[in-house]
């Protein structure tokens, strides 16, 4: 009972601590992303003023841009979070390897969810001005292929992809920062092996397993979450016996 | 229950033995001084105690349980050291908000009082603090956590004398209000003398001495008298230190004299005075080279 209480307290504190440190990154990224549709809106208006005869179109580009931005940001953030300095700053508090591993998984889920939700919210900033323009300008073309169903599907798939990418970076970071030379050399060898057809086929097989065409979104989800969990379990192996040394 | 129990505790880094077969136990609710020269193994011992590193061999138990990776034990201790790294993004106020989340007995009022006393501004980021201010903030975290086992590794490093005095005063007051086990490693035994209840002296990774402060205060005596009286007298004694001054001699020896020996010294006008705890520790951990330098001087 005492163990589980301590574990729970430590886990809640650790996730709060981690989320606090991600807060600033999120604010900066969302400010930049939020500025894009506004700039786009200003460009549309100025185009209209300078070229009254031009056709003006608008599409939902923020979703794509936002998705890739968040994918890269979170992948880098979780890679960096496994470096020695970061680990030292986390282990000043009473946590153990299990709290660290589970905490990182929870934080990753929360960050990925916040990222996709945030980017989806930015869609409003993009669509609302475009709708206003459409009301004002009769020849304005608003391309909006979004339906509730494909939005939900896209939301889920984006969430899965961000989770996968962040988990992969976390996994690589966990091994890389502990065995820099071995992992560096291994990465070089694996990259060079791709010139062999059999190895290239194996890489393609792995890629297709996750990203290939799927008959259903359920199958895709099952596969990608299996890989995500596997990456977190593999990341836990070096963590379990890791010493915290400056 | 013992707060810390170690049996044949050994830690090696590559081929270097930093801790060598340490065996001792520490009772709960005491202030214990961990004393030793640079490289004696003090920090390594505290890191093992704090569950940050594992022993190479032997066993260490904190509150009766293994400590490495054990959240049950880790939740009951706090380890404060010089190069602590809190998250760079966090302000001191953010860190202090995390305190009660991690530590069950965290005392927020004490934290605020200490921040005020040390003149620390809570809007500043930890990474922007000077070395002395970092030490002050580390002390704030260490004391406010009210952890059952508080490990302080050179907590006063970089602090001026006035702040050090404040720290010792606060530590003692807080300990009286909330008794717990506190282990302090330091070079400045002189300053800690009145604070400590037990002293562990280690040198070269080995346990030299584990005594109560009271016992250590009476551990050694200086005999100051004529060489022809003192020199033959100390022949079969454990000599800690020896200084020749012309026809006189000052000898530091272990304090285990009988009544008859004391009266003999008294009759021969040999002055007897107590050796300070700090000097006892210096003499017990003195290397051969140190004495040679002294002799040349």
């Amino acid at each position: 009972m005492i163990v589980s209480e301590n574990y729970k307290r430590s886990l809640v504190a650790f996730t709060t601590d981690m989320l606090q440190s991600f807060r600033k990154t999120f604010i900066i990224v969302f400010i930049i992303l939020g500025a894009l549709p506004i700039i786009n809106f200003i460009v549309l208006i100025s185009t209209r003023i300078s070229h009254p005869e031009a056709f003006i179109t608008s599409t939902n580009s923020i979703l794509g841009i936002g998705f890739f931005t968040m994918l890269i940001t979170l992948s880098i953030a979780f890679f960096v979070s496994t470096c020695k300095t970061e680990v030292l700053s986390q282990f000043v508090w009473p946590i153990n390897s299990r709290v660290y591993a589970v905490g990182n998984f929870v934080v990753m889920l929360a960050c990925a969810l916040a990222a996709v939700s945030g980017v989806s919210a930015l869609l409003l900033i993009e669509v609302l001005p475009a709708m206003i323009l459409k009301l004002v300008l009769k020849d304005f073309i608003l391309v909006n292929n979004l339906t509730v169903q494909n939005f939900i599907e896209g939301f889920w798939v984006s969430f899965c992809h961000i989770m996968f990418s962040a988990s992969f970076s976390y996994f690589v970071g966990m091994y890389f920062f502990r065995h820099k030379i071995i992992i560096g050399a291994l990465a070089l060898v694996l990259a060079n092996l791709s010139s062999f057809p059999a190895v290239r086929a194996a890489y393609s097989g792995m890629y297709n397993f996750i990203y290939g065409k799927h008959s259903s979104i359920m199958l895709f989800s099952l596969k990608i979450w299996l890989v995500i969990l596997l990456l977190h379990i593999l990341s836990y192996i070096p963590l379990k016996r890791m010493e915290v040394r400056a | 229950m013992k707060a810390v129990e170690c049996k044949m505790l050994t830690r090696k880094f590559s081929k270097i033995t930093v801790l060598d077969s340490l065996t001792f136990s520490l009772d709960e609710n005491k202030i214990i001084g961990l004393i030793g020269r640079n490289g004696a193994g003090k920090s390594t011992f505290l890191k093992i105690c704090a569950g940050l590193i594992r022993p190479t061999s032997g066993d260490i138990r904190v509150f009766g349980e293994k400590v490495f990776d054990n959240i049950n034990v880790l939740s009951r201790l706090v380890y404060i050291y010089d190069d602590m790294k809190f998250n760079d993004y966090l302000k001191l106020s953010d860190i202090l908000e995390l305190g009660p989340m991690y530590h069950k007995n965290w005392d927020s009022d004490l934290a605020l009082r200490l921040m005020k006393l040390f003149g620390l501004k809570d809007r500043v980021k930890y990474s922007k603090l000077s070395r002395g201010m970092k030490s002050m903030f580390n002390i704030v975290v260490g004391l406010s956590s009210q952890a059952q086992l508080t490990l302080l590794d050179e907590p006063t490093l970089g602090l001026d004398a006035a702040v050090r005095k404040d720290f010792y005063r606060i530590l003692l007051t807080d300990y009286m209000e909330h008794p717990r086990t506190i282990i302090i490693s330091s070079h400045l035994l002189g300053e800690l003398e009145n604070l400590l209840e037990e002293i562990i002296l280690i040198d070269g990774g080995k346990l030299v001495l584990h005594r109560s402060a009271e016992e250590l205060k009476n551990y050694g005596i200086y005999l100051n008298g004529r060489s022809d009286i003192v020199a033959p007298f100390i022949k079969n004694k454990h000599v800690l230190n020896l200084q020749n001054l012309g026809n006189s001699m000052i000898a530091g020896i272990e304090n285990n004299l009988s009544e008859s020996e004391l009266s003999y010294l008294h009759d021969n006008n040999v002055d007897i005075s107590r050796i300070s705890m700090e000097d006892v520790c210096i003499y017990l951990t003195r290397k051969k080279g140190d004495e040679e330098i002294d002799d040349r001087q």
Side-chain angles (χ1 to χ4, degrees):
Chain A
M1 191 63 189
I2 295 167
V3 173
S4 97
E5 254 178 50
N6 289 330
Y7 176 74
K8 262 192 277 179
R9 188 186 325 107
S10 196
L11 186 62
V12 169
F14 178 73
T15 44
T16 312
D17 188 358
M18 287 285 284
L19 286 171
Q20 267 192 353
S21 59
F22 272 105
R23 192 176 53 190
K24 200 173 180 182
T25 313
F26 267 91
I27 291 170
I28 294 168
V29 173
F30 278 124
I31 285 173
I32 295 167
L33 285 176
L36 291 178
I38 295 165
I39 292 166
N40 190 38
F41 179 67
I42 295 164
V43 169
L44 285 176
I45 293 172
S46 50
T47 309
R48 183 67 190 187
I49 293 165
S50 57
H51 305 284
E53 72 289 352
F55 275 109
I56 302 172
T57 61
S58 177
T59 53
N60 304 326
S61 56
I62 193 70
L63 287 180
I65 296 167
F67 165 70
F68 280 108
T69 309
M70 293 316 295
L71 186 96
I72 293 162
T73 306
L74 288 181
S75 300
I76 293 170
F78 278 98
F79 178 75
V80 173
S81 79
T82 57
C83 77
K84 211 174 211 176
T85 322
E86 291 294 315
V87 170
L88 277 172
S89 75
Q90 284 144 4
F91 276 83
V92 289
W93 298 108
I95 60 164
N96 68 349
S97 60
R98 215 170 116 208
V99 169
Y100 182 87
V102 176
N104 268 304
F105 184 69
V106 173
V107 170
M108 206 180 281
L109 282 173
C111 285
L113 195 64
V116 185
S117 307
V119 171
S120 302
L122 290 177
L123 186 67
L124 290 175
I125 302 177
E126 189 179 51
V127 170
L128 283 177
M131 287 172 108
I132 294 165
L133 269 184
K134 193 173 164 54
L135 288 174
V136 178
L137 311 170
K138 283 176 187 164
D139 54 350
F140 179 78
I141 300 164
L142 173 64
V143 181
N144 190 0
N145 299 324
L146 221 58
T147 63
V148 174
Q149 198 195 336
N150 67 20
F151 174 78
I152 293 170
E153 276 182 15
F155 187 96
W156 173 246
V157 171
S158 306
F159 174 67
C160 292
H161 280 147
I162 290 178
M163 271 304 288
F164 169 72
S165 179
S167 301
F168 184 71
S169 308
Y170 172 74
F171 160 76
V172 173
M174 196 56 81
Y175 282 90
F176 176 74
F177 288 114
R178 268 131 215 102
H179 314 281
K180 283 193 188 84
I181 297 168
I182 297 170
I183 299 300
L186 192 71
L188 279 175
V189 170
L190 289 175
N192 284 311
L193 279 177
S194 62
S195 53
F196 294 99
V199 177
R200 202 184 311 141
Y203 288 167
S204 302
M206 279 192 273
Y207 179 84
N208 287 330
F209 177 75
I210 305 163
Y211 288 108
K213 296 271 179 207
H214 295 96
S215 52
S216 73
I217 199 163
M218 284 289 283
L219 184 67
F220 161 77
S221 306
L222 194 73
K223 281 181 181 178
I224 204 161
W225 280 95
L226 200 75
V227 177
I228 289 167
L229 288 176
L230 187 70
L231 288 170
H232 279 271
I233 291 166
L234 289 173
S235 306
Y236 184 60
I237 295 169
L239 200 60
K240 182 72 189 138
R241 292 184 62 78
M242 182 188 77
E243 292 190 332
V244 182
R245 281 199 252 164
Chain B
M1 190 194 290
K2 297 282 181 191
V4 180
E5 250 182 308
C6 32
K7 282 181 196 150
M8 299 302 285
L9 184 73
T10 302
R11 174 69 207 208
K12 290 179 183 175
F13 290 107
S14 301
K15 284 179 182 170
I16 301 161
T17 305
V18 181
L19 292 181
D20 192 358
S21 312
L22 287 184
T23 302
F24 60 84
S25 59
L26 304 172
D27 291 325
E28 281 187 85
N29 302 332
K30 279 188 173 176
I31 303 185
I32 299 140
L34 182 64
I35 311 298
R37 299 168 67 121
N38 290 330
K42 303 187 295 290
S43 296
T44 305
F45 172 72
L46 291 178
K47 279 190 177 111
I48 293 176
C49 251
L52 294 182
I53 59 172
R54 277 168 293 147
T56 308
S57 63
D59 187 37
I60 181 160
R61 297 207 171 232
V62 175
F63 300 119
E65 290 184 53
K66 284 200 184 277
V67 59
F68 186 77
D69 212 33
N70 182 349
I71 194 70
N72 189 24
V73 179
L74 296 175
S75 299
R76 296 168 72 182
L77 64 84
V78 68
Y79 173 46
I80 300 301
Y81 51 102
D82 179 37
D83 52 353
M84 276 177 92
K85 284 181 176 63
F86 287 100
N87 198 317
D88 279 349
Y89 293 103
L90 301 181
K91 294 182 187 122
L92 300 190
S93 56
D94 297 328
I95 298 170
L96 292 181
E97 273 174 33
L98 286 170
M101 299 186 81
Y102 278 109
H103 291 282
K104 197 167 132 191
N105 301 325
W106 181 273
D107 187 340
S108 296
D109 287 340
L110 179 66
L112 291 177
R113 272 189 283 136
L114 291 174
M115 290 284 285
K116 208 172 167 187
L117 180 84
F118 290 138
L120 293 167
K121 291 187 176 76
D122 60 0
R123 307 302 296 165
V124 182
K125 282 182 183 170
Y126 184 79
S127 53
K128 304 279 177 208
L129 295 178
S130 68
R131 188 188 177 154
M133 284 182 148
K134 275 184 182 168
S135 290
M136 287 182 207
F137 187 72
N138 295 347
I139 287 170
V140 173
V141 172
L143 295 185
S144 306
S145 69
Q146 300 281 313
Q148 281 171 281
L149 176 62
T150 304
L151 307 167
L152 304 169
D153 192 358
E154 305 275 3
T156 55
L157 221 60
L159 299 183
D160 60 52
V163 181
R164 287 206 301 272
K165 268 196 170 172
D166 277 342
F167 163 65
Y168 299 134
R169 184 175 48 79
I170 295 159
L171 181 69
L172 196 60
T173 314
D174 188 49
Y175 170 74
M176 300 298 262
E177 283 172 22
H178 308 281
R180 53 197 194 271
T181 312
I182 300 172
I183 305 179
I184 313 176
S185 88
S186 182
H187 294 107
L188 308 164
L189 182 57
E191 288 186 6
L192 288 172
E193 242 179 48
N194 300 321
L195 204 72
L196 304 175
E197 291 171 81
E198 252 177 52
I199 282 147
I200 296 170
L201 180 65
I202 56 173
D203 190 40
K206 290 187 175 168
L207 181 70
V208 177
L209 177 141
H210 178 198
R211 302 265 173 127
S212 72
E214 217 43 54
E215 283 173 329
L216 194 62
K217 272 178 192 165
N218 298 312
Y219 184 87
I221 48 170
Y222 284 121
L223 307 179
N224 186 355
R226 280 180 17 229
S227 300
D228 58 329
I229 301 288
V230 176
F233 182 82
I234 61 169
K235 250 183 187 170
N236 297 318
K237 303 285 177 202
H238 178 200
V239 179
L240 302 170
N241 187 50
L242 204 57
Q243 220 178 332
N244 288 303
L245 303 159
N247 291 331
S248 298
M249 175 183 268
I250 301 174
I253 61 164
E254 201 175 331
N255 182 14
N256 50 8
L257 303 182
S258 63
E259 285 297 322
S260 58
E261 285 174 321
L262 284 170
S263 61
Y264 167 78
L265 292 170
H266 188 257
D267 293 344
N268 288 284
N269 296 322
V270 176
D271 285 337
I272 303 172
S273 59
R274 215 167 57 180
I275 307 178
S276 70
M277 279 162 61
E278 191 169 28
D279 284 348
V280 169
C281 291
I282 291 169
Y283 298 149
L284 287 173
T285 56
R286 199 141 72 158
K287 308 267 183 298
K288 215 179 169 190
D290 298 345
E291 284 165 24
E292 280 166 10
I293 292 166
D294 282 356
D295 291 345
R296 265 179 233 159
Q297 284 170 343

